Amino acid sequence: KVVAVIMVGGPTKGTRFRPLSFNTPKPLIPLAGQPMIHHPISACKKISNLAQIFLIGFYEEREFALYVSSISNELKIPVRYLKEDKPHGSAGALYYFRDRIMEEKPSHVFLLNCDVCCSFPLQGILDAHRRYGGIGTMLVIKVSAEAASQFGELIADPDTKELLHYTEKPETFVSDLINCGVYVFTSDIFKAIEGVYSQIRDTSSNYQSATRSVPADFVRLDQDILSPLAGKKQLYTYENKDFWEQIKTPGKSLKCSSLYLSQFRQTSPHLLASGDGTNRKPMILGDVYIHPSVKLHPTAKIGPNVSISANVRVGPGVRLINCIILDDVEIKENAVVINSIIGWKSSIGRWSRVQASGDYSERLGITILGEAVTVEDEVAVIGSIVLQNKTLNVSVQEDIIL
Ligand code: GDD
């Protein structure tokens, strides 16, 4: 048997995701029409002998209750939310719930960050790990040298794949091979974390102040476990050859939405919409997800990379390109939405434009409307972020509307 743990973090961790994370925990924000964590969860479902999935975080339990019960029913696998009383760090959180995780005596525990987007080749990682031995195997990927410094950089033996050296977000370049935040471990991971705790206890103040900048009961997987265990024949790497992105900003979620939509071509083609503008169906271009409850006018033109959530109404002549439209939005006739995310219950007026450059790396490269924003008729909102409950009756450009 194996179990999977997905680290979901908590409200203080999601601040870069504002304004979308004000009322919805970041892990539940839809990408390609499914909550962010739905994608790793459905990848877990494909592992043979998977007994349970745990989500560990410090959000209130009620925020995950509905999702956890519906996904458990849908996948027919128990998915449980375990709430920490406060953040314990990525390894500390795992250790905090060790008895629950080990209840069914799994041979292996998968550990996944919730905020990464990839095809999650979990069975491949597990099979590789069984060949390598040791405590754990991590998914790694090559990125550009400039991008690498935002991640854990590492050096692996090209033949044995052993992790030889690991540095978390180094200031000077170490390697363009980085940590994807997806791991499989044997139960020995708990002994390794226990070892860090006893080291902290034994050498208490000295060790703590010399080498750690975090509270004594906070254990980070990267700095406190991966770095010291590198080069000891305990950790191995599995290289990801498919897509991978980290999801720290709303702009990135638009990019990840497009990656998941194109993955649907292979894994779930039934989720992708089609239509050529005839037979009273709108014209669909490229990869588009449309929730079955959406009311679409047949003269609208939609795509590529568009996902439209439940109960959205799209009027005549509307054009949607590269955008995420969240639940209960209304888009009135001849409005245009390009390179944008439209928050729940928002309304876009007639002949209005909500648009941005589409450069994901720029702060205002994607226009984001928070929950219940009203854009009145004939108003343009360009390269801007608009907080929840605002009404815009004049056009704005490169602005943050608080
Ligand atoms: N439950 C819980 N409790 N979750 C936590 C906690 C905690 O105290 N702290 C972090 N997390 C979750 C986050 O929500 C995220 O899913 C994951 O653990 C890792 O978060 P961080 O520890 O903040 O690290 P990071 O995301 O900046 O970087 C990590 O992931 C990168 C890949 O995305 C590192 O492992 C990097 O090396 C790696 O490249």
Side-chain angles (χ1 to χ4, degrees):
K1 258 187 241 165
V2 303
V3 298
V5 174
I6 303 178
M7 285 294 160
V8 299
T12 57
K13 289 248 155 198
T15 49
R16 273 192 277 173
F17 238 75
R18 285 180 186 165
L20 297 178
S21 58
F22 268 114
N23 293 319
T24 299
K26 170 177 150 178
L28 296 181
I29 289 173
L31 307 179
Q34 321 292 327
M36 188 184 292
I37 39 168
H38 178 85
H39 302 279
I41 290 177
S42 26
C44 289
K45 164 84 183 166
K46 298 197 193 108
I47 309 168
S48 37
N49 302 318
L50 181 80
Q52 271 197 73
I53 300 173
F54 298 101
L55 311 180
I56 301 184
F58 46 98
Y59 289 101
E60 291 307 322
E61 248 152 321
R62 62 180 159 73
E63 305 208 67
F64 281 87
L66 197 64
Y67 176 73
V68 157
S69 75
S70 73
I71 193 74
S72 302
N73 285 335
E74 188 188 321
L75 297 185
K76 310 209 164 30
I77 284 195
V79 180
R80 298 244 149 71
Y81 177 70
L82 304 177
K83 182 185 182 294
E84 294 166 86
D85 51 351
K86 57 170 189 186
H88 293 83
S90 40
L94 189 72
Y95 188 77
Y96 191 76
F97 289 111
R98 61 196 179 282
D99 296 339
R100 288 297 299 281
I101 296 167
M102 295 309 290
E103 221 163 48
E104 300 200 37
K105 301 194 169 45
S107 61
H108 295 88
V109 178
F110 279 94
L111 181 66
L112 286 73
N113 291 2
C114 73
D115 57 1
V116 299
C117 162
C118 75
S119 54
F120 299 103
L122 302 176
Q123 192 65 47
I125 300 173
L126 179 59
D127 295 343
H129 175 74
R130 289 196 164 115
R131 294 195 301 274
Y132 302 146
I135 292 184
T137 294
M138 61 198 283
L139 188 68
V140 303
I141 193 168
K142 266 206 166 67
V143 296
S144 71
E146 306 84 74
S149 63
Q150 310 161 42
F151 307 106
E153 294 184 15
L154 56 101
I155 295 170
D157 185 306
D159 301 320
T160 66
K161 309 297 176 197
E162 188 196 344
L163 178 74
L164 297 177
H165 179 76
Y166 185 91
T167 319
E168 183 62 22
K169 305 185 181 88
E171 277 169 22
T172 52
F173 180 74
V174 174
S175 163
D176 56 3
L177 201 56
I178 63 134
N179 173 7
C180 292
V182 177
Y183 319 81
V184 68
F185 294 112
T186 66
S187 61
D188 285 339
I189 187 64
F190 296 107
K191 287 187 202 135
I193 305 171
E194 173 69 54
V196 175
Y197 278 121
S198 50
Q199 210 173 345
I200 295 167
R201 268 195 305 274
D202 296 349
T203 44
S204 65
S205 55
N206 289 340
Y207 176 74
Q208 179 67 16
S209 58
T211 60
R212 306 178 87 249
S213 54
V214 291
D217 59 353
F218 195 94
V219 180
R220 301 154 301 185
L221 188 68
D222 19 56
Q223 288 99 318
D224 298 321
I225 304 287
L226 303 180
S227 288
L229 280 183
K232 298 203 170 112
K233 296 204 165 31
Q234 297 289 352
L235 295 173
Y236 292 84
T237 59
Y238 180 85
E239 196 170 335
N240 185 15
K241 301 285 185 193
D242 212 349
F243 64 94
W244 183 86
E245 284 287 339
Q246 196 184 40
I247 325 166
K248 294 286 188 201
T249 61
K252 271 303 191 63
S253 67
L254 188 51
K255 178 163 195 194
C256 294
S257 199
S258 86
L259 292 169
Y260 281 137
L261 285 177
S262 66
Q263 190 191 25
F264 284 173
R265 290 237 163 259
Q266 271 82 52
T267 59
S268 337
H270 61 280
L271 291 175
L272 294 173
S274 62
D276 59 2
T278 61
N279 298 325
R280 272 181 273 139
K281 279 174 97 188
M283 165 101 76
I284 305 288
L285 303 167
D287 297 335
V288 171
Y289 168 84
I290 300 173
H291 188 274
S293 62
V294 171
K295 290 206 169 59
L296 269 184
H297 196 275
T299 57
K301 193 170 165 186
I302 295 170
N305 184 30
V306 172
S307 40
I308 310 181
S309 292
N311 306 316
V312 170
R313 285 145 293 156
V314 178
V318 164
R319 182 71 177 104
L320 306 178
I321 305 173
N322 199 38
C323 57
I324 295 177
I325 314 291
L326 296 170
D327 301 46
D328 305 307
V329 166
E330 176 165 24
I331 305 178
K332 295 184 186 162
E333 60 208 59
N334 301 312
V336 174
V337 180
I338 304 176
N339 302 329
S340 301
I341 301 178
I342 310 299
W344 307 263
K345 305 191 186 80
S346 290
S347 155
I348 316 284
R350 295 176 185 87
W351 295 99
S352 285
R353 287 187 88 84
V354 178
Q355 197 174 334
S357 69
D359 183 344
Y360 302 111
S361 60
E362 266 184 50
R363 198 172 59 112
L364 297 175
I366 304 292
T367 288
I368 298 155
L369 307 190
E371 182 162 350
V373 167
T374 302
V375 176
E376 295 195 339
D377 294 353
E378 295 172 46
V379 166
V381 186
I382 313 291
S384 296
I385 294 174
V386 184
L387 262 66
Q388 61 274 28
N389 306 314
K390 297 283 158 208
T391 295
L392 295 178
N393 49 21
V394 290
S395 296
V396 293
Q397 183 157 9
E398 282 169 38
D399 210 346
I400 297 178
I401 314 291
L402 300 171

